[in-house]
């Protein structure tokens, strides 16, 4: 496990990457990307067992991660690149013609680190369950992780998957919910309330872990460690992680408006002024 | 003209079930999933013999497709089973993103396709599935004609690396192809040589095309009969070779005219060999309840319809 200060530096750099990537092409999704930065930084730097130098689709003997809310591709790409899956320089190509860094992640262009296409919401939990079943069939005791937006939970397929995973004791699987309370059209509570999310997952038969401060690396790591402690105990695990959409850039926080909007030149400068360049920009 | 005979009628879905059972014995990577239709899909034997490799997902087809996509990661070869309607239209986006675009080695196996589902009616009689599936980039689409061929196709697709849609059905139809046939994906089967017209059929219409060929011979018309079990990739060479000889074509399928085999053939011919073509297919209509035979007659998918289409196309030569 890298020390917290190092991870903090990485998080700050990833946030710089995110705002620079979406600014460069005037499109993309900075809000959720910034909110999930600490989670993905922690996951890929100490929590997950993975090999960024020898990526294989099958990932035998490795923990696997599936991003179900594919629109937060900027944070995913930045974390993968800064872990060594592909050159950091390639972040320049995000959303540009002929890039491997498509608007939403895909296996189509063979970008190391990606094992499924996502973007159309609600599909990643099913895929993660399938991968978890194969781990069991292969007697591979690695862990499957996935990340979902809270708005994404409005998709019916999520609940088909949730029912299946509990009924079939898929207990080598940790799903994390980015519980930021916001989606494109506004607050989740106003668009379509999720009600009592913890009670819903418990009623479906899941082990629920709550991470109260999803933008605090220590809290994120604690939440994931607690989640891992339930592996192999007969239930799928959900980590309901409270985050702030836009975390790290003051004017992107407290609103849903930066879900899918890119900053202009002036806004970029303001954002970068709040994010120290720690590891070098691409 | 070769005379085709059969000793019994069997359902193509049972060919799938037996093929899957054999794969259970021969290929340890094959796994199967079903959405509460194990009996209808004839997956009982595979399940009984390979309980650890069988996944009952309940009535949740979207989840089934996603789980199948995930199972491939780590080397499994998933075969999903449900009715054709729930295998395609209901889960189109899941197949598109998690299977086809993601390039996953999933075999989508679909029974009760078309009108011959019978009495359940139009909600279940999908006639658009071939079109839906063939539009997806790199999706292989297979529609075998009888029990033996469905069994052979089931075994063959396990060896093919990539997504496949395998379509079969419920009614008992003449089982006339060789029990030990080799099944080559993308290779048309020339059933009878002829000089006046090429009749290209798929699935349950293949036997009717053979019957039509016999009746046409009595009328002095020499029909070349081709069984297209693989609609995509289409065997362009076989079709062009035949049609360049006969100079007219009838296509026959248990599917909508829009989006089916006939469309694929017309597209090929319009680019390489513009040719008069008639379509035996459902003409922009939903089905309804009835016996399979009644429905095939009412919707113009019978032997007589192939004969009539042939007479029509011959006049256009």
């Amino acid at each position: 496990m890298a020390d917290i200060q190092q991870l903090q530096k990485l998080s700050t750099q990833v946030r710089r990457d995110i705002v620079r990537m979406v600014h460069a092409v005037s499109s993309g999704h900075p809000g959720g990307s910034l909110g999930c930065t600490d989670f993905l930084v922690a996951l890929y730097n100490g929590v997950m067992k993975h090999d960024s130098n020898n990526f294989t689709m099958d990932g035998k003997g490795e923990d696997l991660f599936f991003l179900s809310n594919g629109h937060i591709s900027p944070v995913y790409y930045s974390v993968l690149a800064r872990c060594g899956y592909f050159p950091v320089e390639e972040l320049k190509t995000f959303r540009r013609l002929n890039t491997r860094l498509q608007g939403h992640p895909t296996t189509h262009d063979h970008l190391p680190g990606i094992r499924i296409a996502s973007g159309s919401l609600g599909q990643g939990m099913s895929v993660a369950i399938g991968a978890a079943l194969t781990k069991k069939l292969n007697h591979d005791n690695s862990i499957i992780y996935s990340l979902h937006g809270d708005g994404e939970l409005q998709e019916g397929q999520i609940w088909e998957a949730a029912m299946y995973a509990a009924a079939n004791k898929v207990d080598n699987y940790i799903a994390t919910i980015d519980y930021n309370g916001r989606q494109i059209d506004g607050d989740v509570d106003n668009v379509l309330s999720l009600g009592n999310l913890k009670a819903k997952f418990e009623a479906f038969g899941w082990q629920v872990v709550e991470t109260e401060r999803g933008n605090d690396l220590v809290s994120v790591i604690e939440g994931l460690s607690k989640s891992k402690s339930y592996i192999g105990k007969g239930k799928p695990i959900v980590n309901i992680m409270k985050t702030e959409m836009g975390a790290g850039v003051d004017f992107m926080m407290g609103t849903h408006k930066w879900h899918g909007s890119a900053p202009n030149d002036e806004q970029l400068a303001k954002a970068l002024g709040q994010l120290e360049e720690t590891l070098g920009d691409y | 003209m070769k005379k085709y005979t059969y000793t019994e009628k069997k359902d193509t879905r049972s060919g799938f079930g037996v093929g899957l059972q054999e794969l259970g014995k021969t290929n340890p990577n094959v796994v199967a999933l079903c959405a509460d239709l194990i009996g209808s899909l004839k997956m009982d034997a595979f399940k009984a013999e390979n309980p650890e490799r069988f996944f009952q997902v309940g009535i949740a087809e979207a989840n089934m497709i996603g789980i199948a996509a995930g199972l491939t990661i780590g080397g499994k070869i998933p075969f999903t089973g449900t009715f054709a309607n729930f295998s395609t239209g209901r889960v189109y986006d899941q197949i598109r993103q998690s299977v086809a675009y993601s390039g996953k080695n999933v075999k989508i196996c679909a029974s009760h396709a078309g009108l011959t589902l019978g009495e359940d009616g139009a909600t279940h009689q999908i006639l658009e599935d071939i079109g839906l599936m063939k539009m997806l980039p790199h999706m292989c689409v297979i529609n075998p004609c009888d029990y033996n061929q469905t069994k052979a196709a089931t075994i063959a697709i396990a060896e093919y690396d990539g997504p496949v849609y395998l379509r079969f059905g419920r009614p008992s139809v003449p089982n006339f192809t060789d029990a030990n046939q080799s099944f080559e994906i993308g290779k048309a089967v020339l059933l009878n040589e002829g000089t006046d017209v090429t009749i290209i059929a798929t699935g349950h219409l293949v036997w009717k095309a053979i019957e039509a060929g016999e009746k046409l011979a009595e009328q002095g018309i020499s029909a070349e009969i081709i069984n297209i079990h693989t609609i995509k990739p289409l065997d362009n060479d076989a079709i062009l070779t035949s049609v360049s000889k006969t100079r007219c074509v009838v296509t026959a399928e248990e599917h909508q005219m829009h989006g089916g085999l006939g469309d694929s053939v017309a597209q090929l011919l319009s680019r390489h060999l513009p040719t008069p073509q008639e379509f035996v297919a459902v003409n922009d209509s939903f089905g309804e309840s009835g016996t399979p035979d009644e429905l095939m007659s009412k919707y113009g998918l019978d032997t007589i319809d192939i004969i009539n289409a042939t007479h029509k196309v011959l006049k256009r030569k």
Side-chain angles (χ1 to χ4, degrees), chain A residues 57-58 106-107 115 117 120 123 126-127 130 134 137-138 157 160, chain B residues 52 62-63 66-67 70-71 73-74 76 93-94 97-98 101-102 104:
Chain A
M57 179 54 72
D58 284 344
T106 175
T107 56
R115 291 191 169 87
S120 177
Q123 301 186 29
S126 305
V127 173
T134 286
L137 285 171
N138 289 345
Q157 187 182 346
E160 293 182 6
Chain B
E52 76 293 350
N63 187 41
I67 290 178
L71 278 160
I73 299 166
K76 301 305 169 201
D93 189 41
Q94 285 76 17
Q97 176 172 288
S98 293
Y101 186 43
S102 292
K104 297 304 183 202

PDB file of all heavy atoms in Angstrom, chain A residues 57-58 106-107 115 117 120 123 126-127 130 134 137-138 157 160, chain B residues 52 62-63 66-67 70-71 73-74 76 93-94 97-98 101-102 104:
ATOM      1  N   MET A  57      -6.941 -10.170 -21.168  1.00  0.00           N
ATOM      2  CA  MET A  57      -8.386 -10.089 -21.032  1.00  0.00           C
ATOM      3  C   MET A  57      -8.877 -10.992 -19.907  1.00  0.00           C
ATOM      4  O   MET A  57      -9.749 -10.612 -19.127  1.00  0.00           O
ATOM      5  CB  MET A  57      -9.053 -10.472 -22.366  1.00  0.00           C
ATOM      6  CG  MET A  57     -10.562 -10.446 -22.339  1.00  0.00           C
ATOM      7  SD  MET A  57     -11.269  -8.883 -21.765  1.00  0.00           S
ATOM      8  CE  MET A  57     -10.922  -7.803 -23.145  1.00  0.00           C
ATOM      9  N   ASP A  58      -8.308 -12.204 -19.823  1.00  0.00           N
ATOM     10  CA  ASP A  58      -8.801 -13.160 -18.832  1.00  0.00           C
ATOM     11  C   ASP A  58      -8.414 -12.779 -17.405  1.00  0.00           C
ATOM     12  O   ASP A  58      -9.102 -13.152 -16.462  1.00  0.00           O
ATOM     13  CB  ASP A  58      -8.307 -14.565 -19.154  1.00  0.00           C
ATOM     14  CG  ASP A  58      -9.090 -15.181 -20.321  1.00  0.00           C
ATOM     15  OD1 ASP A  58     -10.169 -14.645 -20.643  1.00  0.00           O
ATOM     16  OD2 ASP A  58      -8.617 -16.175 -20.887  1.00  0.00           O
ATOM     17  N   THR A 106     -14.206   1.065 -24.039  1.00  0.00           N
ATOM     18  CA  THR A 106     -14.504  -0.064 -24.919  1.00  0.00           C
ATOM     19  C   THR A 106     -13.312  -1.002 -25.004  1.00  0.00           C
ATOM     20  O   THR A 106     -12.166  -0.575 -24.860  1.00  0.00           O
ATOM     21  CB  THR A 106     -14.863   0.430 -26.329  1.00  0.00           C
ATOM     22  OG1 THR A 106     -15.023  -0.699 -27.186  1.00  0.00           O
ATOM     23  CG2 THR A 106     -13.772   1.310 -26.916  1.00  0.00           C
ATOM     24  N   THR A 107     -13.619  -2.268 -25.245  1.00  0.00           N
ATOM     25  CA  THR A 107     -12.571  -3.249 -25.532  1.00  0.00           C
ATOM     26  C   THR A 107     -12.229  -3.241 -27.017  1.00  0.00           C
ATOM     27  O   THR A 107     -11.279  -3.884 -27.439  1.00  0.00           O
ATOM     28  CB  THR A 107     -13.066  -4.665 -25.185  1.00  0.00           C
ATOM     29  OG1 THR A 107     -14.282  -4.892 -25.926  1.00  0.00           O
ATOM     30  CG2 THR A 107     -13.358  -4.799 -23.711  1.00  0.00           C
ATOM     31  N   ARG A 115     -12.009  -4.309 -19.876  1.00  0.00           N
ATOM     32  CA  ARG A 115     -12.467  -5.675 -20.164  1.00  0.00           C
ATOM     33  C   ARG A 115     -13.901  -5.744 -20.661  1.00  0.00           C
ATOM     34  O   ARG A 115     -14.383  -6.816 -21.021  1.00  0.00           O
ATOM     35  CB  ARG A 115     -12.304  -6.561 -18.923  1.00  0.00           C
ATOM     36  CG  ARG A 115     -10.843  -6.827 -18.589  1.00  0.00           C
ATOM     37  CD  ARG A 115     -10.672  -7.913 -17.529  1.00  0.00           C
ATOM     38  NE  ARG A 115      -9.276  -8.321 -17.430  1.00  0.00           N
ATOM     39  CZ  ARG A 115      -8.377  -7.714 -16.663  1.00  0.00           C
ATOM     40  NH1 ARG A 115      -8.718  -6.695 -15.914  1.00  0.00           N
ATOM     41  NH2 ARG A 115      -7.125  -8.137 -16.639  1.00  0.00           N
ATOM     42  N   ALA A 117     -17.137  -3.063 -22.653  1.00  0.00           N
ATOM     43  CA  ALA A 117     -17.634  -1.742 -23.032  1.00  0.00           C
ATOM     44  C   ALA A 117     -18.719  -1.341 -22.039  1.00  0.00           C
ATOM     45  O   ALA A 117     -19.503  -2.178 -21.589  1.00  0.00           O
ATOM     46  CB  ALA A 117     -18.197  -1.768 -24.445  1.00  0.00           C
ATOM     47  N   SER A 120     -23.938   2.608 -21.976  1.00  0.00           N
ATOM     48  CA  SER A 120     -25.353   2.330 -21.778  1.00  0.00           C
ATOM     49  C   SER A 120     -25.458   1.740 -20.373  1.00  0.00           C
ATOM     50  O   SER A 120     -24.860   0.703 -20.069  1.00  0.00           O
ATOM     51  CB  SER A 120     -25.830   1.338 -22.837  1.00  0.00           C
ATOM     52  OG  SER A 120     -27.172   1.009 -22.604  1.00  0.00           O
ATOM     53  N   GLN A 123     -25.566  -2.231 -17.045  1.00  0.00           N
ATOM     54  CA  GLN A 123     -25.128  -3.549 -17.513  1.00  0.00           C
ATOM     55  C   GLN A 123     -23.942  -4.117 -16.741  1.00  0.00           C
ATOM     56  O   GLN A 123     -23.700  -5.325 -16.760  1.00  0.00           O
ATOM     57  CB  GLN A 123     -24.797  -3.487 -19.017  1.00  0.00           C
ATOM     58  CG  GLN A 123     -26.000  -3.050 -19.848  1.00  0.00           C
ATOM     59  CD  GLN A 123     -25.766  -3.123 -21.352  1.00  0.00           C
ATOM     60  OE1 GLN A 123     -24.986  -3.931 -21.834  1.00  0.00           O
ATOM     61  NE2 GLN A 123     -26.453  -2.276 -22.095  1.00  0.00           N
ATOM     62  N   SER A 126     -24.223  -7.090 -13.999  1.00  0.00           N
ATOM     63  CA  SER A 126     -24.392  -8.435 -14.571  1.00  0.00           C
ATOM     64  C   SER A 126     -23.061  -8.973 -15.074  1.00  0.00           C
ATOM     65  O   SER A 126     -22.720 -10.146 -14.846  1.00  0.00           O
ATOM     66  CB  SER A 126     -25.392  -8.394 -15.730  1.00  0.00           C
ATOM     67  OG  SER A 126     -26.615  -7.826 -15.341  1.00  0.00           O
ATOM     68  N   VAL A 127     -22.327  -8.119 -15.763  1.00  0.00           N
ATOM     69  CA  VAL A 127     -21.022  -8.548 -16.303  1.00  0.00           C
ATOM     70  C   VAL A 127     -20.083  -8.933 -15.160  1.00  0.00           C
ATOM     71  O   VAL A 127     -19.404  -9.970 -15.214  1.00  0.00           O
ATOM     72  CB  VAL A 127     -20.408  -7.420 -17.161  1.00  0.00           C
ATOM     73  CG1 VAL A 127     -18.994  -7.786 -17.591  1.00  0.00           C
ATOM     74  CG2 VAL A 127     -21.281  -7.135 -18.385  1.00  0.00           C
ATOM     75  N   GLY A 130     -20.952 -12.288 -13.833  1.00  0.00           N
ATOM     76  CA  GLY A 130     -20.450 -13.337 -14.729  1.00  0.00           C
ATOM     77  C   GLY A 130     -18.969 -13.596 -14.505  1.00  0.00           C
ATOM     78  O   GLY A 130     -18.529 -14.750 -14.410  1.00  0.00           O
ATOM     79  N   THR A 134     -17.066 -17.017 -13.144  1.00  0.00           N
ATOM     80  CA  THR A 134     -15.927 -17.677 -13.798  1.00  0.00           C
ATOM     81  C   THR A 134     -14.758 -17.812 -12.834  1.00  0.00           C
ATOM     82  O   THR A 134     -14.071 -18.845 -12.816  1.00  0.00           O
ATOM     83  CB  THR A 134     -15.531 -16.904 -15.069  1.00  0.00           C
ATOM     84  OG1 THR A 134     -16.515 -17.168 -16.075  1.00  0.00           O
ATOM     85  CG2 THR A 134     -14.182 -17.346 -15.605  1.00  0.00           C
ATOM     86  N   LEU A 137     -15.525 -20.846 -10.890  1.00  0.00           N
ATOM     87  CA  LEU A 137     -15.349 -22.079 -11.683  1.00  0.00           C
ATOM     88  C   LEU A 137     -13.871 -22.398 -11.872  1.00  0.00           C
ATOM     89  O   LEU A 137     -13.484 -23.564 -11.933  1.00  0.00           O
ATOM     90  CB  LEU A 137     -16.014 -21.919 -13.061  1.00  0.00           C
ATOM     91  CG  LEU A 137     -17.537 -22.005 -13.108  1.00  0.00           C
ATOM     92  CD1 LEU A 137     -18.041 -21.605 -14.496  1.00  0.00           C
ATOM     93  CD2 LEU A 137     -18.020 -23.416 -12.765  1.00  0.00           C
ATOM     94  N   ASN A 138     -13.062 -21.354 -11.991  1.00  0.00           N
ATOM     95  CA  ASN A 138     -11.622 -21.546 -12.221  1.00  0.00           C
ATOM     96  C   ASN A 138     -10.834 -21.712 -10.914  1.00  0.00           C
ATOM     97  O   ASN A 138      -9.614 -21.772 -10.937  1.00  0.00           O
ATOM     98  CB  ASN A 138     -11.048 -20.352 -12.998  1.00  0.00           C
ATOM     99  CG  ASN A 138     -11.511 -20.343 -14.447  1.00  0.00           C
ATOM    100  OD1 ASN A 138     -12.019 -21.339 -14.954  1.00  0.00           O
ATOM    101  ND2 ASN A 138     -11.333 -19.213 -15.128  1.00  0.00           N
ATOM    102  N   GLN A 157     -32.165  -3.512 -14.891  1.00  0.00           N
ATOM    103  CA  GLN A 157     -31.231  -4.650 -14.967  1.00  0.00           C
ATOM    104  C   GLN A 157     -30.385  -4.758 -13.702  1.00  0.00           C
ATOM    105  O   GLN A 157     -29.985  -5.857 -13.303  1.00  0.00           O
ATOM    106  CB  GLN A 157     -30.332  -4.510 -16.206  1.00  0.00           C
ATOM    107  CG  GLN A 157     -29.453  -5.746 -16.440  1.00  0.00           C
ATOM    108  CD  GLN A 157     -28.540  -5.586 -17.635  1.00  0.00           C
ATOM    109  OE1 GLN A 157     -28.721  -4.691 -18.455  1.00  0.00           O
ATOM    110  NE2 GLN A 157     -27.547  -6.449 -17.742  1.00  0.00           N
ATOM    111  N   GLU A 160     -32.268  -6.918 -11.362  1.00  0.00           N
ATOM    112  CA  GLU A 160     -32.200  -8.326 -11.790  1.00  0.00           C
ATOM    113  C   GLU A 160     -30.883  -8.929 -11.300  1.00  0.00           C
ATOM    114  O   GLU A 160     -30.842 -10.041 -10.768  1.00  0.00           O
ATOM    115  CB  GLU A 160     -32.226  -8.436 -13.324  1.00  0.00           C
ATOM    116  CG  GLU A 160     -33.528  -8.030 -14.000  1.00  0.00           C
ATOM    117  CD  GLU A 160     -33.494  -8.220 -15.527  1.00  0.00           C
ATOM    118  OE1 GLU A 160     -32.507  -8.778 -16.063  1.00  0.00           O
ATOM    119  OE2 GLU A 160     -34.459  -7.809 -16.176  1.00  0.00           O
TER     120      GLU A 160
ATOM    121  N   GLU B  52     -22.619 -27.691 -12.094  1.00  0.00           N
ATOM    122  CA  GLU B  52     -21.752 -26.559 -11.722  1.00  0.00           C
ATOM    123  C   GLU B  52     -21.506 -25.616 -12.890  1.00  0.00           C
ATOM    124  O   GLU B  52     -21.062 -24.489 -12.707  1.00  0.00           O
ATOM    125  CB  GLU B  52     -20.410 -27.084 -11.170  1.00  0.00           C
ATOM    126  CG  GLU B  52     -19.424 -27.606 -12.185  1.00  0.00           C
ATOM    127  CD  GLU B  52     -19.842 -28.892 -12.921  1.00  0.00           C
ATOM    128  OE1 GLU B  52     -20.842 -29.553 -12.547  1.00  0.00           O
ATOM    129  OE2 GLU B  52     -19.152 -29.242 -13.891  1.00  0.00           O
ATOM    130  N   ALA B  62     -32.064  -9.721 -19.520  1.00  0.00           N
ATOM    131  CA  ALA B  62     -30.997  -8.726 -19.636  1.00  0.00           C
ATOM    132  C   ALA B  62     -29.815  -9.126 -18.759  1.00  0.00           C
ATOM    133  O   ALA B  62     -28.653  -9.090 -19.183  1.00  0.00           O
ATOM    134  CB  ALA B  62     -31.522  -7.343 -19.237  1.00  0.00           C
ATOM    135  N   ASN B  63     -30.137  -9.538 -17.544  1.00  0.00           N
ATOM    136  CA  ASN B  63     -29.082  -9.986 -16.630  1.00  0.00           C
ATOM    137  C   ASN B  63     -28.376 -11.219 -17.189  1.00  0.00           C
ATOM    138  O   ASN B  63     -27.151 -11.349 -17.073  1.00  0.00           O
ATOM    139  CB  ASN B  63     -29.711 -10.294 -15.264  1.00  0.00           C
ATOM    140  CG  ASN B  63     -28.682 -10.602 -14.199  1.00  0.00           C
ATOM    141  OD1 ASN B  63     -27.635  -9.958 -14.124  1.00  0.00           O
ATOM    142  ND2 ASN B  63     -28.970 -11.580 -13.366  1.00  0.00           N
ATOM    143  N   GLY B  66     -25.794 -10.166 -19.728  1.00  0.00           N
ATOM    144  CA  GLY B  66     -24.649  -9.541 -19.065  1.00  0.00           C
ATOM    145  C   GLY B  66     -23.772 -10.557 -18.351  1.00  0.00           C
ATOM    146  O   GLY B  66     -22.546 -10.516 -18.436  1.00  0.00           O
ATOM    147  N   ILE B  67     -24.397 -11.477 -17.646  1.00  0.00           N
ATOM    148  CA  ILE B  67     -23.627 -12.521 -16.951  1.00  0.00           C
ATOM    149  C   ILE B  67     -22.853 -13.350 -17.965  1.00  0.00           C
ATOM    150  O   ILE B  67     -21.678 -13.679 -17.752  1.00  0.00           O
ATOM    151  CB  ILE B  67     -24.558 -13.412 -16.096  1.00  0.00           C
ATOM    152  CG1 ILE B  67     -25.087 -12.618 -14.899  1.00  0.00           C
ATOM    153  CG2 ILE B  67     -23.813 -14.660 -15.606  1.00  0.00           C
ATOM    154  CD1 ILE B  67     -26.053 -13.403 -14.011  1.00  0.00           C
ATOM    155  N   GLY B  70     -19.805 -11.567 -18.967  1.00  0.00           N
ATOM    156  CA  GLY B  70     -18.795 -11.622 -17.903  1.00  0.00           C
ATOM    157  C   GLY B  70     -18.141 -12.993 -17.790  1.00  0.00           C
ATOM    158  O   GLY B  70     -16.939 -13.098 -17.526  1.00  0.00           O
ATOM    159  N   LEU B  71     -18.914 -14.037 -18.010  1.00  0.00           N
ATOM    160  CA  LEU B  71     -18.372 -15.404 -17.916  1.00  0.00           C
ATOM    161  C   LEU B  71     -17.248 -15.659 -18.921  1.00  0.00           C
ATOM    162  O   LEU B  71     -16.383 -16.502 -18.693  1.00  0.00           O
ATOM    163  CB  LEU B  71     -19.498 -16.423 -18.130  1.00  0.00           C
ATOM    164  CG  LEU B  71     -20.375 -16.733 -16.918  1.00  0.00           C
ATOM    165  CD1 LEU B  71     -21.705 -17.342 -17.351  1.00  0.00           C
ATOM    166  CD2 LEU B  71     -19.661 -17.684 -15.950  1.00  0.00           C
ATOM    167  N   ILE B  73     -14.880 -13.782 -19.557  1.00  0.00           N
ATOM    168  CA  ILE B  73     -13.624 -13.226 -19.041  1.00  0.00           C
ATOM    169  C   ILE B  73     -13.037 -14.237 -18.064  1.00  0.00           C
ATOM    170  O   ILE B  73     -13.503 -14.374 -16.938  1.00  0.00           O
ATOM    171  CB  ILE B  73     -13.879 -11.851 -18.387  1.00  0.00           C
ATOM    172  CG1 ILE B  73     -14.438 -10.879 -19.428  1.00  0.00           C
ATOM    173  CG2 ILE B  73     -12.592 -11.305 -17.765  1.00  0.00           C
ATOM    174  CD1 ILE B  73     -15.042  -9.613 -18.845  1.00  0.00           C
ATOM    175  N   GLY B  74     -12.060 -14.980 -18.542  1.00  0.00           N
ATOM    176  CA  GLY B  74     -11.547 -16.121 -17.799  1.00  0.00           C
ATOM    177  C   GLY B  74     -11.731 -17.409 -18.582  1.00  0.00           C
ATOM    178  O   GLY B  74     -11.395 -18.491 -18.114  1.00  0.00           O
ATOM    179  N   LYS B  76     -14.550 -18.922 -20.273  1.00  0.00           N
ATOM    180  CA  LYS B  76     -15.736 -19.761 -20.469  1.00  0.00           C
ATOM    181  C   LYS B  76     -16.413 -19.432 -21.801  1.00  0.00           C
ATOM    182  O   LYS B  76     -16.277 -18.328 -22.335  1.00  0.00           O
ATOM    183  CB  LYS B  76     -16.727 -19.571 -19.322  1.00  0.00           C
ATOM    184  CG  LYS B  76     -16.147 -19.907 -17.953  1.00  0.00           C
ATOM    185  CD  LYS B  76     -15.572 -21.309 -17.893  1.00  0.00           C
ATOM    186  CE  LYS B  76     -14.761 -21.516 -16.618  1.00  0.00           C
ATOM    187  NZ  LYS B  76     -13.810 -22.642 -16.751  1.00  0.00           N
ATOM    188  N   ASP B  93     -29.967  -4.050 -26.478  1.00  0.00           N
ATOM    189  CA  ASP B  93     -28.891  -3.164 -26.033  1.00  0.00           C
ATOM    190  C   ASP B  93     -27.828  -3.922 -25.248  1.00  0.00           C
ATOM    191  O   ASP B  93     -26.631  -3.621 -25.357  1.00  0.00           O
ATOM    192  CB  ASP B  93     -29.472  -2.037 -25.183  1.00  0.00           C
ATOM    193  CG  ASP B  93     -28.440  -0.967 -24.875  1.00  0.00           C
ATOM    194  OD1 ASP B  93     -27.669  -0.615 -25.777  1.00  0.00           O
ATOM    195  OD2 ASP B  93     -28.401  -0.489 -23.731  1.00  0.00           O
ATOM    196  N   GLN B  94     -28.263  -4.912 -24.468  1.00  0.00           N
ATOM    197  CA  GLN B  94     -27.285  -5.717 -23.723  1.00  0.00           C
ATOM    198  C   GLN B  94     -26.398  -6.500 -24.690  1.00  0.00           C
ATOM    199  O   GLN B  94     -25.179  -6.604 -24.497  1.00  0.00           O
ATOM    200  CB  GLN B  94     -27.998  -6.680 -22.767  1.00  0.00           C
ATOM    201  CG  GLN B  94     -28.576  -6.023 -21.522  1.00  0.00           C
ATOM    202  CD  GLN B  94     -29.853  -5.241 -21.773  1.00  0.00           C
ATOM    203  OE1 GLN B  94     -30.516  -5.416 -22.799  1.00  0.00           O
ATOM    204  NE2 GLN B  94     -30.224  -4.385 -20.843  1.00  0.00           N
ATOM    205  N   GLN B  97     -23.990  -3.855 -26.594  1.00  0.00           N
ATOM    206  CA  GLN B  97     -22.849  -3.273 -25.857  1.00  0.00           C
ATOM    207  C   GLN B  97     -21.970  -4.322 -25.168  1.00  0.00           C
ATOM    208  O   GLN B  97     -20.761  -4.302 -25.309  1.00  0.00           O
ATOM    209  CB  GLN B  97     -23.358  -2.283 -24.803  1.00  0.00           C
ATOM    210  CG  GLN B  97     -22.226  -1.716 -23.917  1.00  0.00           C
ATOM    211  CD  GLN B  97     -22.705  -0.612 -23.008  1.00  0.00           C
ATOM    212  OE1 GLN B  97     -22.979   0.491 -23.465  1.00  0.00           O
ATOM    213  NE2 GLN B  97     -22.822  -0.885 -21.719  1.00  0.00           N
ATOM    214  N   SER B  98     -22.613  -5.210 -24.398  1.00  0.00           N
ATOM    215  CA  SER B  98     -21.820  -6.124 -23.562  1.00  0.00           C
ATOM    216  C   SER B  98     -21.298  -7.333 -24.337  1.00  0.00           C
ATOM    217  O   SER B  98     -20.330  -7.952 -23.924  1.00  0.00           O
ATOM    218  CB  SER B  98     -22.648  -6.608 -22.363  1.00  0.00           C
ATOM    219  OG  SER B  98     -22.920  -5.545 -21.478  1.00  0.00           O
ATOM    220  N   TYR B 101     -20.245  -5.350 -29.244  1.00  0.00           N
ATOM    221  CA  TYR B 101     -19.221  -4.292 -29.233  1.00  0.00           C
ATOM    222  C   TYR B 101     -18.036  -4.699 -28.368  1.00  0.00           C
ATOM    223  O   TYR B 101     -16.890  -4.375 -28.678  1.00  0.00           O
ATOM    224  CB  TYR B 101     -19.858  -2.994 -28.718  1.00  0.00           C
ATOM    225  CG  TYR B 101     -18.973  -1.780 -28.771  1.00  0.00           C
ATOM    226  CD1 TYR B 101     -18.174  -1.498 -29.883  1.00  0.00           C
ATOM    227  CD2 TYR B 101     -18.949  -0.869 -27.717  1.00  0.00           C
ATOM    228  CE1 TYR B 101     -17.372  -0.370 -29.928  1.00  0.00           C
ATOM    229  CE2 TYR B 101     -18.152   0.262 -27.755  1.00  0.00           C
ATOM    230  CZ  TYR B 101     -17.362   0.512 -28.859  1.00  0.00           C
ATOM    231  OH  TYR B 101     -16.575   1.633 -28.889  1.00  0.00           O
ATOM    232  N   SER B 102     -18.313  -5.440 -27.305  1.00  0.00           N
ATOM    233  CA  SER B 102     -17.231  -5.892 -26.433  1.00  0.00           C
ATOM    234  C   SER B 102     -16.522  -7.124 -26.982  1.00  0.00           C
ATOM    235  O   SER B 102     -15.544  -7.586 -26.389  1.00  0.00           O
ATOM    236  CB  SER B 102     -17.776  -6.185 -25.021  1.00  0.00           C
ATOM    237  OG  SER B 102     -18.190  -4.993 -24.384  1.00  0.00           O
ATOM    238  N   LYS B 104     -17.386 -10.319 -27.152  1.00  0.00           N
ATOM    239  CA  LYS B 104     -17.389 -11.462 -26.239  1.00  0.00           C
ATOM    240  C   LYS B 104     -17.889 -12.734 -26.917  1.00  0.00           C
ATOM    241  O   LYS B 104     -18.798 -12.711 -27.741  1.00  0.00           O
ATOM    242  CB  LYS B 104     -18.263 -11.155 -25.011  1.00  0.00           C
ATOM    243  CG  LYS B 104     -17.759  -9.984 -24.172  1.00  0.00           C
ATOM    244  CD  LYS B 104     -16.328 -10.173 -23.699  1.00  0.00           C
ATOM    245  CE  LYS B 104     -15.864  -9.035 -22.812  1.00  0.00           C
ATOM    246  NZ  LYS B 104     -14.384  -8.942 -22.797  1.00  0.00           N
TER     247      LYS B 104
END
